[in-house]
Amino acid sequence: VIVVPAQSAFKTVADLVAAAKARPGEVNFASPGNGTVAHLTGELFQKTAGVKFQHVPYKGANQALTDMISGQVQIYVSSVPSVLQQVRTGKLRPLAVTSAKRVDDLPQTPTVGESGYKGFDAVTLFGFLAPAGTPKDIVTRLNAEFNKALQQPDLRKRLGDEGADPLGGTPEQFAELIRDDIVRWGKTVKE
């Protein structure tokens, strides 16, 4: 999610982009560190929107969040759970979520795609991997058990509370997601 301090003049993604285009490199964005998904998401957004921000990397989310709330940085790209309490208490304002669809915890917050950048989708994926060469029957069995577990209401709620959207699926589908991410994030890093 892209958030700003409650007192920020940026009310929408369009406001943010307009300011960044008017003052290239002067609008800064905080992330929990160089090379994090939040950092790369900010870089991908800049490329997509045709703007240039000044990246301010922190050594973790806590100090970045503190500086965001106090207005020392202008925008922060973060995971939803890391900022949700501050959004709910009115200390931060979300401009857009970076996933392709809206998130349950921020139903009124548009996606970056809905904000004018169709197809934008930057999320963190988690999954289970086995060593190369693991027999197919074991992979199939593990996959079936993980998919079964992901249908349990208590686990789905727990994952949802952490901002996760449990997908499940086949090993082949997960391998394709990994390949796609390598291409997308590899391109972002190189650029």
Side-chain angles (χ1 to χ4, degrees):
V1 63
I2 301 170
V3 294
V4 296
Q7 68 275 16
S8 174
F10 305 141
K11 306 290 187 214
T12 65
V13 168
D15 294 341
L16 172 62
V17 170
K21 286 187 176 186
R23 301 184 321 270
E26 290 183 30
V27 175
N28 61 46
F29 91 92
S31 78
N34 282 320
T36 61
V37 173
H39 172 210
L40 296 178
T41 298
E43 296 295 337
L44 181 62
F45 177 75
Q46 290 176 85
K47 179 79 173 163
T48 302
V51 298
K52 181 64 181 150
F53 301 137
Q54 177 63 47
H55 178 225
V56 182
Y58 284 83
K59 292 181 181 178
N62 289 340
Q63 188 61 48
L65 190 54
T66 300
D67 285 359
M68 167 59 38
I69 292 169
S70 69
Q72 293 183 53
V73 287
Q74 293 166 291
I75 61 173
Y76 181 39
V77 179
S78 174
S79 66
V80 172
S82 295
V83 297
L84 190 57
Q85 186 60 32
Q86 289 73 23
V87 168
R88 287 181 173 158
T89 60
K91 293 178 182 173
L92 296 177
R93 179 183 326 113
L95 298 184
V97 294
T98 63
S99 55
K101 63 179 189 171
R102 292 188 184 206
V103 298
D104 291 342
D105 286 326
L106 299 170
Q108 301 305 314
T109 303
T111 67
V112 170
E114 291 171 324
S115 301
Y117 302 95
K118 300 265 185 260
F120 192 93
D121 185 18
V123 296
T124 302
L125 295 175
F126 294 96
F128 296 97
L129 301 167
T134 300
K136 185 161 178 52
D137 62 321
I138 292 174
V139 170
T140 300
R141 170 85 192 271
L142 288 170
N143 177 258
E145 294 298 326
F146 286 129
N147 279 308
K148 182 178 171 184
L150 287 173
Q151 298 309 311
Q152 300 301 313
D154 57 332
L155 179 59
R156 291 186 73 79
K157 182 185 180 330
R158 181 90 184 255
L159 291 170
D161 290 346
E162 294 297 321
D165 184 15
L167 299 176
T170 67
E172 295 77 20
Q173 289 168 322
F174 188 46
E176 184 176 341
L177 283 173
I178 292 170
R179 283 190 299 274
D180 290 349
D181 263 9
I182 289 170
V183 170
R184 177 181 24 181
W185 294 120
K187 183 175 186 246
T188 301
V189 169
K190 287 174 187 167
E191 290 173 349

